[in-house]
Every structure is written in C-alpha cells, then in structure tokens.
Amino acid sequence: MTAALSPTLVLTTPAEPDPPRRRRRLPREALLPAGLTALVLVVLSVNITGFPMTSDDEGTYLAQAWAVRQGHGLAHYTYWYDHPPLGWMQLAALSWLPDLLGVDGTTVAAARVAMLPVVAASLLLVYLVGRRLGLTVVASAGALLVFGLSPLAVTMDRGIYLDSFAVAWMLAALALALSPQRHLWHFTAAGAATAISVLSKETMLLTAPAVAVALWQNAARGSTRPWAAGGYLSGLTLIGMFYPLYALLRGELLPGSGHVSLIGAWTFQLASRSGSGSVFQSGTGTSQLLHSWLYYDPIILIAGLVATLVALPVRRLRPVVVAVVVLVVVALRPGGYVPAMYVVQVLPFLALVIAGVLDEGVRRTARGPRWIRPAALATIAVLVAATVAPSWWAGNRRALTADDNAGYTAAAAYLRDRVPAKDSVRIVVDDALWLDCVRAGYRRENTIWFYKLDLDPAIPEQLPNGWHDVDYVISTPIMRQNPGALPTVSTLLAHSTPIAAFGPPDGRIEIRRIIEEKS
C-alpha cells in the first residue's frame, strides 16, 4: 500500500516593505533667490502702468500677440518677417494676465504685468548661472540684485519687448551648458533653448558664442566634447529650422514680386536699413541712446565694462565675458543700427561679470593674511552703501511714482467715450493706442497704424481718395519724431485741427480732426 504523500509546507518569509521614498525637498539655498526675485518683482510692479511712457514698439508687439490670440494670423497687418514670431506668440500666451488681475490703464500699459513672469525667470536664471560659473551664494545673489534693481533694468524690464523673452531663453541655454551633471540631453536642450531665444529675437544670436564657450569648457575633454557639440547642434538645428521651413512652405523664403519673403527681410535688416550713427559722434541716434541709458544708470554700464576688461583672463567667467564683448563690439560698429531695447540683452551679462570680478577678488584675498578678506568685504559694502544705493534709490524713486502715461490714458478715454459713430470712423493712430481703439469699438480695418500709411501697399487700396478718407489722426510724440520720413502722415497733421489735447508739452497727445473736405 502506497503511503499517502503529505503536502509539503512551504514557508516563505514575508517580503520586506520598500523603504519609503524620500521626497525631494527644495534646497534651502533656493529660498534666497526666490525671496530676492519676489523683492525685485515688487519694485517692478509698483506703478508699472505709469512709468516709463509706453512706446510704439510695445504696442506693435502686443498688437501682434493680439492677432495671434484672436486667430488673425501672425500680425495685425501683413507679416513681413521683420522679426521671428515666437516672441509675441509667447506674449500671446501670457496676455490673459492683465484681465485676470484687473489692471487699470491703457491696454499696452496694463499688459506690462504679463512680462513679470518672464523677468522672474531671468532673475532666477542669473542666480543659477552665477552658481554654475563658480560664484559664491553671496556673489550670485548680488548678480541677481544688480540685474533686478538697476534703474536702467527696472525701466527696460517693465517694457513689452521681445528681447526679454530672448534673454530668458539664452540664460537657460547657458545654465544647461554649464550643468554639472554634463548629461547629453542637457547639451541638446541648451541648443534648443538657444534656437528658441533666437526665434524670440534674432539679435540674441550674437550671444550664442557665450553658450558655445560654456559648453566647451564644461564638457569633459576627449570623446565627450564631440558628443556634447553634436547634441547642442542637433537641438539648435531641429528647432531653428522651423522658421525657414515655415517661410518655404508658404512660398515666402526667397524674394519675388507680389509677396514678402524671409530672405528679403534679412536683406533689408542687414543691408538696406539706415543706421543710427556712431556712438562716438555727438547728435547721432546711437549717441543719444547711450546717453539715455547712462542717464538711468551709469553704474551698471561703466562698472560692467570695466569688470569685463578685468575678467578677460579669468577662465570661469569667460562665457559671460564673451557675451558682453560681442554685444558691445556690435553696438560700436560704424553705420550700424542700435534699437532702444538693445541694452536689455547685455544687462544680465553685465551683472554677472560685475559679481564675478568681485567674487574673484575676494577669493584671491583668501591667500593672504586673515584680515585681508574681511577688509575687502567691508570695502565692497561701504562702496555699495555710499555710491550704488543712493544712486539707485534716486533713479528708482521716479519709476515708483511718476505717471508718464497720463496723457495716453486720457486720450484713450476720450477716444472711447467722446468720439461718435466709431464703427464708421477711419482713424490713424500709433500702435500704443491701436488696441485701445479696437477694444473701444472702432473697426479694425479702419484703425490704421500710422507707419502703414506710407509703408504698406495694402493700405492705399483701402483709401481710394488718399488722406481725404481719414477722419481723425492722433498726434503723439512717436508720430512726430521723424515727420519727413512719412509724407502722408505729415499731410494729415497739416490738414487737421486739434479738438482735444492731453499731457505735458514735450509729450503732448492731440486728438485731431481732418478739416479738408473729402472728394
């Protein structure tokens, strides 16, 4: 008889539970740049709609963002590839903020709050780049504050400029190229960020060598550098090719009759556009522009240029030094064109090189007697307290209190409330008021940006009787600054009479009715 097999009892040890995963906590150090960024944003936010005076460029970029958001195309008029559209596409994505926050003021002035997240990103990236350049926590925080609180930066960073978007992306590219992990995807992402920066404002291509230097210095020698360079170029090319591909698919890559073109716009910008004169010649546009920058803050410009010269032999500061040198050399070239917002591109690099030179100096004092380093820190503190702080307080006080846009605000209210039959009125304005008119009920096709009267072939088709078909022209400082260049605008001003005026004499805004009878 076969014995029954008893079942085998298998003893199993219960599996030990996985150790609890530790949540990644934000490093305590991150609280410092976050707090300083919040402080700078408070300074930027106070009176942001009152200072500085809104510019036509701000209105143009916002109107283009409005066109994207409303589905009218890449611009509120014919898009002629004057700038890549990615900058104002990002602006369109942020343009809901003013309505959400209920900001008062003209449309352009209120829309400035949409730039605050962009500036916040740049401030944090300045700190991060500083740390990855080897700066101490104090020096990196100093770079953030120099970039954020300089009166020149406060003035320019409030503006709606494509350069602000481009700067944030180029700083991101620099931070990725300096990544201590040196992963391939970091270098590829750096290339993509560089491309996005250039597609936000094409002149930021000038600072791409800074990213290349950072990548070369950060990548390990030997077989790693070719991979890093290949990854960077892949990201740069993959994203950057979208713009010419868009023009190619629309049949607008090469010049031809009856259409705009990307190559034609580049040719105009590089060869045909009139320059703003030499910075060394008194009375030229570039010279006046430099003096206006120095008026707001000579400290960051002069100290930054001196620090750049001092930092030339310092290897770890070489990326930001390259950025400053290239931007300054291009600005100084004879016969070139320098726009007012050009300084936005160089400010973060000046702040980094100033902080870097001070950090290098303090570091080298550590090699001497013990008393030298505290003495150096005390000297820096005294200089900041005695010179920088009073100057910046005086410069920023006006930014916090002045109402340079009171005339524009009153003019926008008059156009909204006092002009009858808005849906049939044809009006010529600058782009600082264009969106206010459209929002007030004027028909979009009857609200004409004054530049287009003489420069856009499509506008004369809407005016069979020429200037006689215009009912009102809004005379602003922007419109009057170069009267000889736009003959139709000059004719409108000559054949009109003011019915209302707002603002001080040097910033006078006039609502003018055309007095010539229509034929």
Side-chain angles (χ1 to χ4, degrees), residues 54-64 76-77 106-109 408 428-438 447-452 474 476 478-479:
T54 52
S55 68
D56 195 59
D57 288 310
E58 289 183 274
T60 300
Y61 301 145
L62 186 62
Q64 289 169 324
H76 56 315
Y77 284 97
T106 64
T107 302
V108 174
Y408 270 111
V428 173
V429 297
D430 66 27
D431 257 1
L433 286 170
W434 190 88
L435 270 177
D436 289 286
C437 290
V438 172
T447 307
I448 303 173
W449 180 25
F450 75 97
Y451 270 121
K452 297 298 181 178
I474 313 306
T476 64
I478 299 170
M479 189 180 295

Side-chain angles (χ1 to χ4, degrees), residues 56-129:
D56 195 59
D57 288 310
E58 289 183 274
T60 300
Y61 301 145
L62 186 62
Q64 289 169 324
W66 174 87
V68 170
R69 189 177 177 186
Q70 298 296 322
H72 294 310
L74 292 179
H76 56 315
Y77 284 97
T78 303
Y79 174 61
W80 63 282
Y81 298 92
D82 52 334
H83 297 296
L86 190 55
W88 60 81
M89 291 172 72
Q90 296 170 76
L91 178 59
L94 295 171
S95 59
W96 52 271
L97 280 174
D99 293 334
L100 176 68
L101 299 175
V103 183
D104 294 327
T106 64
T107 302
V108 174
R112 288 174 172 173
V113 299
M115 301 303 296
L116 295 179
V118 182
V119 178
S122 294
L123 290 165
L124 293 171
L125 285 166
V126 163
Y127 182 89
L128 179 60
V129 169

Side-chain angles (χ1 to χ4, degrees), residues 226-270:
W227 285 99
Y232 178 80
L233 291 174
S234 298
L236 178 66
T237 304
L238 182 64
I239 302 299
M241 287 303 294
F242 274 97
Y243 189 44
L245 181 60
Y246 168 82
L248 178 64
L249 293 176
R250 290 182 57 88
E252 296 174 345
L253 179 62
L254 300 175
S257 60
H259 67 83
V260 297
S261 72
L262 175 59
I263 302 299
W266 284 355
T267 302
F268 168 79
Q269 297 281 18
L270 296 174

Side-chain angles (χ1 to χ4, degrees), residues 198-228:
V198 175
L199 293 180
S200 299
K201 185 65 180 288
E202 67 281 2
T203 51
M204 279 304 289
L205 181 62
L206 297 171
T207 59
V211 182
V213 170
L215 183 147
W216 183 262
Q217 292 186 171
N218 191 42
R221 294 181 180 179
S223 59
T224 306
R225 275 181 177 168
W227 285 99

